[in-house]
Amino acid sequence: MLKGFFHVPKAVNEPVKSYAPNSPEKAAVQAAYTTMWNSKIDVPLYIGSEEIKTGNTKTISAPHDHKHIVGTYHLAEKQHIEKAIANALESRKAWANMAWEQRAAIFLKAAELIAGPYRARINAATMIGQSKNIHQAEIDASCELIDFLRYNVEFMTQIYNDQPKSDSTTWNRLEYRPLEGFVYAITPFNFTAIAANLPASAAMMGNVVIWKPSDSQVFSAKIIIDVFKEAGVPDGVINVVFGDALMITDTVLASRDFAGVHFTGSTHVFKDIWAKIGANINNYKTYPRIVGETGGKDFIIAHPSANVKQVATGITRGAFEFQGQKCSAASRAYIPQSLWPAVKEQLIADAKSMKMGSPEDFGNFITAVIHEGSFDKLASYIDQAKKDADAEIIIGGNYDKSVGYFIEPTVIVTTNPKYTTMETELFGPVITIYVYEDAKWEEALELVDTTSEYALTGAVFSQDRYAIEVATTKLQNAAGNFYINDKPTGAVVGMQPFGGARASGTNDKAGSALNLLRWASPRTIKETFVTPEDYKYPFLG
Ligand code: NAD
């Protein structure tokens, strides 16, 4: 062990590059896109020091051009998962004992690799594999991921610095041990940053990890793996497996050494995992940590005092960026009658000006949704809205999957505040609006609070401080991330710790020390300097 109390570099948020015409970053990402589009990768399983090609493969294609294949990846069988667990536990012996500053250096290096040499590639991979336009790829795959890595290193040192009081007779210490076992990270398709952060945050705290990425994010996952390798994450610390999610999960949860799950994805999957952990509880060596960030039905509510342009822009950006596939995307809005005609007019004008197509064309604001299952689900809700008497589609409503999974940005207006698309997470570029009577502001807030099972993000727009105060109070439990006069998306690491409660997750706030704390099991060490040698207390005399 080195001798010294080391300070880590102060975390700063990575500046978002503009990708304006003729900028060097635009040229770099276009070149990377072309190269990656025209090559085919073959992604193995990463278990210990081995890269395993099982021969049982699936193809990787671009959602905006689904016949175009950019690679394949190999699927694990049960024996591979068992092997990954064994490798992780073997690697734990060295990793859990490595000095924290060595772990910090690895992840700080990973951040700088993404900020520099890997930036164009990780952005291009996210554009191709997840159909993000360049701005969405940049704020996710580059900036948010860099921020997670830098800030988490800083948060780790804050946690380690948090020590109990001592006095002259005893010295009390808290040691933040890694969990006794391994952590299972299950990641969603929609954020490259989340995919990397879930295994990395646990690993940073000294844990070993089995990481199962989403089938729809393998293309950019490969770049994350390359970055971690180059940064120096030792073999076996983050083992990567692909394949049948149920089989993988059941095998992992059956292990006595399973010590925690770091999940982001849909609510029903998380509840299922939680139930299985409960059913297996007698098998485990330790109570597993269960951390899950799940679905949302995120809202915008405008007060009659709100600025119309701000409300309409909040809806357009909040609902349609990345085709509404952010867990934080606005998908229900409550607009007062007095503002509705003007808000509607601007929404229609905004939608008309939006171009939809491949992210390769930088003029496209909207690209494709992630896969056919999502496309079909969205199309069925749109078709139903066309038939229902209490719903009207005022913008969009068309879709086409002949080339890519394209769904037009769609606005449904309903006269029924409990209409199905006011309650259900659709995860696409569809928002439903309920127009309320101006005098019924508090009733509208009540609707916001009680209409959905979720509580992830939400926004209030108002120029009236009393109205803002009432909304902030009444909606205290309706959102884990609450926005005043801003869209409900775009949380920044270190600034707006992210997560929701109710059916939206365990609210362990990714991008904050609260999350990292879940990956440590503190040990209290009390040392007494002059130890008593007689059991009798003075009062006995
Ligand atoms: P998903 O639930 O379909 O998949 C997430 C992960 O779980 C994937 O790796 C998938 O393979 C795996 N999985 C699927 N079925 C499983 C099963 N039965 N057992 C174990 N694992 C299983 O979610 P998705 O479509 O990738 O992502 C979208 C969802 O994620 C939305 O509901 C969104 O709101 C949520 N999300 C939430 C946050 C947040 O911070 N709250 C962030 C991003 C996404």
Side-chain angles (χ1 to χ4, degrees), residues 2 14 25 38 71 121 131 143 156 183 185 301 343-344 370 396 425 455 471 500:
L2 300 179
E14 179 65 11
E25 65 266 19
N38 293 315
R121 258 179 290 166
S131 289
C143 300
M156 175 175 69
V183 172
I301 178 159
V343 171
K344 180 178 174 184
I370 193 69
E425 185 187 51

Side-chain angles (χ1 to χ4, degrees), residues 184 186-191 194 212-216 243 245-246 249 263-270 272-273 276 292-296 298 325-328 370-371 425 427 454 456 498-500 504-505 510:
Y184 179 34
I186 315 177
T187 58
F189 78 84
N190 66 337
F191 277 91
I194 295 176
K212 197 211 83 60
S214 159
D215 286 332
S216 303
L246 263 180
T249 302
F263 176 86
T264 297
S266 49
T267 297
H268 74 98
V269 172
F270 184 55
D272 194 36
I273 292 169
K276 284 179 183 168
E293 295 302 332
T294 63
D298 310 302
Q325 298 172 117
K326 301 186 184 192
C327 46
S328 54
I370 193 69
H371 50 48
E425 185 187 51
F427 224 58
Y454 300 107
L456 190 51
F498 192 80
S504 292

